[in-house]
Amino acid sequence: MGFTKHARIFPGKTVQMGLIKQYDQNRNFPGIEGTSKLSVHFRFGTISIREKALKAISLSETWLNELIWRDFYRQIMAHFPHAMTSAFKPEYNLIEWLNDEQAFQAWCKGQTCYPIVDAGMRELNTTGFMHNRVRMIVASFLTKDLHIDWRWGEAYFAKKLLDFELASNNGGWQWAAGTGTDAQPYFRVFNPD
């Protein structure tokens, strides 16, 4: 189904071709409509990722790359199943997390006193959705600022996200925590300010 058919099947959720064309410029700004919000449809198979990938070839290489990450993480799960429950790189299982339960609960409730972190968590708790850039910020905050095990955040997202997919969720959390396929444990930190 094309973008116009998508508009008929999912009223009010029309994905404008212009939005996809502008994805590389707008995707990092949570305050604007810069993402497609198609991830929930990919999760449940209500639209074809292959068809959207073909469309993306002519519209946005950046958006196409995001679709490719989804399949990349699925391949990681298939070939390295240990990554479902532990660090992709086993040496990162030795990270000593603080795992402060009170700090974790404040993060879950959106009560950390960091506005973008709190707004993201409140959006997640209210709607089941969170902007991708904000997902990176809240994941970095949990793992790099609060020093809480990425698996806690991953499990929380699994319960809350409408577009939850194990491979993407796990891959994203391990990416943010620096324990994944491209581990950058010390210097990939998002500034929550």
Side-chain angles (χ1 to χ4, degrees), residues 30-175:
I32 63 174
E33 288 292 325
T35 64
S36 70
K37 294 192 176 176
L38 292 177
S39 55
V40 71
H41 298 292
F42 293 140
R43 175 192 179 187
F44 290 106
T46 55
I47 60 173
S48 165
I49 193 162
R50 287 188 175 125
E51 186 174 312
K52 297 306 178 203
L54 284 172
K55 193 71 162 172
I57 290 170
S58 64
L59 294 176
S60 171
E61 182 178 340
T62 305
W63 196 62
L64 176 62
N65 287 337
E66 293 299 316
L67 298 179
I68 291 169
W69 274 113
R70 178 181 178 268
D71 284 346
F72 171 75
Y73 285 134
R74 286 176 167 225
Q75 291 299 316
I76 293 298
M77 288 289 128
H79 294 283
F80 304 95
H82 74 274
M84 283 187 246
T85 56
S86 65
F88 175 78
K89 294 186 177 181
E91 61 268 26
Y92 293 120
N93 285 322
L94 301 175
I95 295 172
E96 293 184 27
W97 302 103
L98 296 180
N99 292 340
D100 180 324
E101 184 66 40
Q102 281 186 302
F104 180 67
Q105 288 306 316
W107 177 84
C108 291
K109 294 176 183 175
Q111 297 175 345
T112 67
C113 297
Y114 285 86
I116 194 155
V117 173
D118 293 346
M121 295 307 293
R122 288 192 305 269
E123 178 185 27
L124 174 65
N125 292 329
T126 303
T127 69
F129 179 80
M130 187 187 295
H131 187 281
N132 188 55
R133 178 59 58 178
V134 180
R135 291 182 197 204
M136 291 185 242
I137 293 168
V138 302
S140 175
F141 184 80
L142 185 73
T143 59
K144 301 290 178 69
D145 293 290
L146 298 179
H147 306 284
I148 293 176
D149 192 325
W150 61 271
R151 287 166 280 227
W152 291 26
E154 187 217 17
Y156 191 78
F157 271 34
K159 286 189 267 184
K160 296 288 184 171
L161 284 172
L162 294 175
D163 64 359
F164 169 77
E165 291 187 73
L166 175 61
S168 297
N169 193 47
N170 180 287
W173 273 96
Q174 290 214 48
W175 180 87

